[in-house]
Amino acid sequence: MKQETEKEQGTTPEEEIVMEGGAAREEVAEAAETEEAEVVDHGASELEAAKRQAEEHYQRYLRTQADFDNFRRRARAEKEEFAKYASQKLIEELLPIVDNFDRAMAASREQRDIESLAKGVEMIQRQLFAVLENEGLKPIEAIGQPFNPELHEAIMQVPAEEGGASGIVAEELRKGYMLKEKVIRPAMVKVTE
């Protein structure tokens, strides 16, 4: 009877086992394809995330580069502006001296008093030196000092006085000046032999 039912159904127990095995293989294949698709999807999403991150980094790099270029342009413009008007403070301090010279010249035309003109010019000279000293200018002491080629420019040698040492500055022909610690003009001197 069992055989009859099997025949009616058209499959034998061996065939059923084979069929079940085939179905199992199909299920395994489908599961493998699903896992593979998930791995591919996961890999694709990681790739997309990496691309987005790379794009963000690139955009940040471009912004940083633009910021740096703007900073460099701004610094150059500020430097040029500073150089252009660096002497403005000094000029503002010298303008009253120029005004005093103008007044002295006007007064000398009206009055022929040489003595008062000389006093006025001396006052203006002191005012000028005060402004220059405030900026760091100081005269180089020369007369009676040992000759120093860094501070003095010897143009002539003169005989030393009796008992005097040689290599001493005897006369100053042109005053020398230092701006802070730098010699901007050496003193022109005569030195003893």
Side-chain angles (χ1 to χ4, degrees), residues 30-95:
E30 284 178 22
E33 285 178 12
T34 305
E35 276 184 38
E36 191 176 298
E38 287 175 6
V39 168
V40 169
D41 287 344
H42 182 64
S45 65
E46 282 183 3
L47 180 61
E48 286 300 317
K51 283 182 180 179
R52 279 193 305 276
Q53 187 177 19
E55 181 63 25
E56 288 172 17
H57 288 286
Y58 181 68
Q59 291 302 321
R60 188 177 305 146
Y61 162 76
L62 290 177
R63 283 192 300 276
T64 303
Q65 186 67 36
D67 288 345
F68 182 69
D69 289 343
N70 290 338
F71 168 76
R72 196 171 34 209
R73 271 193 294 276
R74 200 168 38 254
R76 187 180 322 117
E78 287 173 2
K79 184 178 177 184
E80 289 171 1
E81 178 83 8
F82 177 76
K84 188 175 180 181
Y85 296 106
S87 58
Q88 179 177 348
K89 181 180 176 271
L90 178 62
I91 298 297
E92 288 172 354
E93 291 179 16
L94 291 175
L95 287 176

Side-chain angles (χ1 to χ4, degrees), residues 66-167:
D67 288 345
F68 182 69
D69 289 343
N70 290 338
F71 168 76
R72 196 171 34 209
R73 271 193 294 276
R74 200 168 38 254
R76 187 180 322 117
E78 287 173 2
K79 184 178 177 184
E80 289 171 1
E81 178 83 8
F82 177 76
K84 188 175 180 181
Y85 296 106
S87 58
Q88 179 177 348
K89 181 180 176 271
L90 178 62
I91 298 297
E92 288 172 354
E93 291 179 16
L94 291 175
L95 287 176
I97 297 169
V98 172
D99 294 339
N100 288 339
F101 270 121
D102 290 341
R103 283 192 278 282
M105 296 302 291
S108 71
R109 288 188 198 102
E110 293 173 8
Q111 303 172 4
R112 297 291 180 193
D113 185 6
I114 299 295
E115 192 173 315
S116 63
L117 178 63
K119 284 182 185 178
V121 170
E122 284 176 22
M123 288 187 337
I124 294 170
Q125 183 185 30
R126 282 194 300 274
Q127 185 183 15
L128 176 61
F129 279 118
V131 168
L132 294 175
E133 284 176 354
N134 285 339
E135 292 296 317
L137 186 74
K138 57 186 174 187
I140 295 173
E141 297 297 323
I143 297 178
Q145 301 294 317
F147 176 74
N148 180 345
E150 292 177 8
L151 303 175
H152 308 120
E153 180 182 344
I155 60 162
M156 185 182 291
Q157 286 189 324
V158 294
E161 293 183 6
E162 239 177 83
S166 66

Side-chain angles (χ1 to χ4, degrees), residues 10-24:
T11 59
T12 64
E14 293 85 22
E15 289 176 337
E16 282 182 22
I17 292 173
V18 170
M19 287 175 66
E20 285 177 13

